[in-house]
Amino acid sequence: MAIEIWETLKEAITVYTGLSPVTFFTVLALSLAFYHAVFGLFGSSSSSTANHHQNHRSIDEEVEPLLPPVQLGEITEDELKQYDGSDKKKPLLMAIKGQIYDVSQSRMFYGPGGPYALFAGKDASRALAKMSFEDKDLTGDISGLGPFELEALQDWEYKFMSKYVKVGTIKKDAPNAPSVGEPSEPAKVTDSEASKQEDAPTEKPTTETIETSSPGDADKKDE
C-alpha cells in the first residue's frame, strides 16, 4: 500500500512540477532551510531591538534627572559629609583646596560604588595630589607636599573648575585672637601678686639728698 502511494506521488510530482522526485525534494529542502535562516535572522533582530528598548527604558527609569546646582555658600566639613551620595535627594559634592563643586553628573565615578566614591563629601585635596586612597590622606591639608604633587593637584583643580559648578566653600575655624584695631584685654593680676606689689618698698629721693647735693660737690669729684 505504501509503495503504491509513493509511486502515485512520484508520478504526480513529475506531472504537476515537471521535476523528478529527487529534484523536487531537494528544492523543497533548500526552501525550508532558507525560510528558517531568514526567519531566525529577522526574528532575533527584532527581539534584540525590543530588549534594547526595554533595557534603555529601565535605565532611564532608574537614573533620576539631575537637579540644577544649588549654591550652599560657606559650610563646615561636617556639613559637607551629608552630600556624599548616600542620599539621592541631595546633590553629590566634593571639595578641592576648600572650594566645593557639584559632581552629581559624574555619579558613576564619585557616587556609591564608584571608583572614587571615598572622595565624595570631603575635601580630598591631599589624596588627589598624591593619588592616594588611604584614609589619612582624605583631608584638605596640603602642607608638606612636593612640587610634583602640587602640580598634580593644580591639574585636578583646573579640571573641576572647567567641568563642574562651584557651589560653596569650606568654613575654616578661625583662631581665637583679637582682630586688628581691637583693643586687647589687660592682663589680670591675681590677689597674691597685688599684695606683693603693695608690700614692696618704693625708693624715693629724700629732701636731704636733694639739699646736700650741689654743683660744687660735682666739681670736687672732678678734681
Side-chain angles (χ1 to χ4, degrees):
M1 183 66 179
I3 296 175
E4 294 177 357
I5 295 175
W6 172 245
E7 293 296 334
T8 304
L9 181 60
K10 289 195 297 182
E11 292 177 1
I13 291 173
T14 303
V15 171
Y16 290 104
T17 64
L19 301 174
S20 64
V22 176
T23 305
F24 173 78
F25 285 111
T26 302
V27 173
L28 180 63
L30 291 174
S31 301
L32 291 175
F34 179 76
Y35 171 78
H36 284 291
V38 172
F39 179 79
L41 179 63
F42 287 97
S44 61
S45 176
S46 60
S47 61
S48 176
T49 304
N51 292 332
H52 175 73
H53 287 298
Q54 184 176 2
N55 293 335
H56 185 70
R57 187 165 52 251
S58 61
I59 293 174
D60 291 339
E61 291 175 355
E62 292 178 0
V63 178
E64 298 181 357
L66 294 176
L67 299 176
V70 178
Q71 295 296 324
L72 299 177
E74 195 176 31
I75 62 175
T76 63
E77 292 186 359
D78 289 336
E79 292 173 336
L80 180 60
K81 294 178 181 178
Q82 303 175 8
Y83 302 93
D84 60 353
S86 56
D87 188 354
K88 293 184 178 181
K89 295 181 180 180
K90 294 182 179 180
L92 183 63
L93 304 182
M94 180 179 165
I96 292 182
K97 296 172 67 174
Q99 309 301 309
I100 304 173
Y101 297 90
D102 189 329
V103 296
S104 300
Q105 67 187 67
S106 299
R107 184 175 290 272
M108 62 184 303
F109 294 104
Y110 300 103
Y116 303 111
L118 72 168
F119 296 156
K122 304 180 185 69
D123 187 334
S125 299
R126 192 175 192 86
L128 291 174
K130 300 176 64 176
M131 285 310 298
S132 171
F133 292 91
E134 298 183 10
D135 292 338
K136 64 179 182 179
D137 293 326
L138 296 176
T139 175
D141 182 14
I142 58 175
S143 59
L145 294 178
F148 294 103
E149 293 170 336
L150 292 174
E151 185 178 356
L153 179 60
Q154 190 69 51
D155 291 340
W156 276 103
E157 186 178 16
Y158 286 151
K159 175 183 176 181
F160 271 63
M161 291 172 62
S162 61
K163 186 175 181 179
Y164 305 115
V165 178
K166 178 184 172 183
V167 295
T169 56
I170 294 180
K171 183 185 299 182
K172 299 295 183 181
D173 296 330
N176 295 326
S179 58
V180 178
E182 182 180 351
S184 58
E185 296 182 358
K188 295 181 179 180
V189 180
T190 60
D191 295 338
S192 59
E193 293 177 350
S195 61
K196 289 180 181 180
Q197 292 177 0
E198 293 176 358
D199 296 338
T202 56
E203 295 182 357
K204 296 181 179 180
T206 60
T207 56
E208 295 178 356
T209 305
I210 297 174
E211 292 175 355
T212 56
S213 61
S214 63
D217 295 338
D219 296 337
K220 291 178 181 181
K221 290 181 182 181
D222 293 337
E223 292 177 358

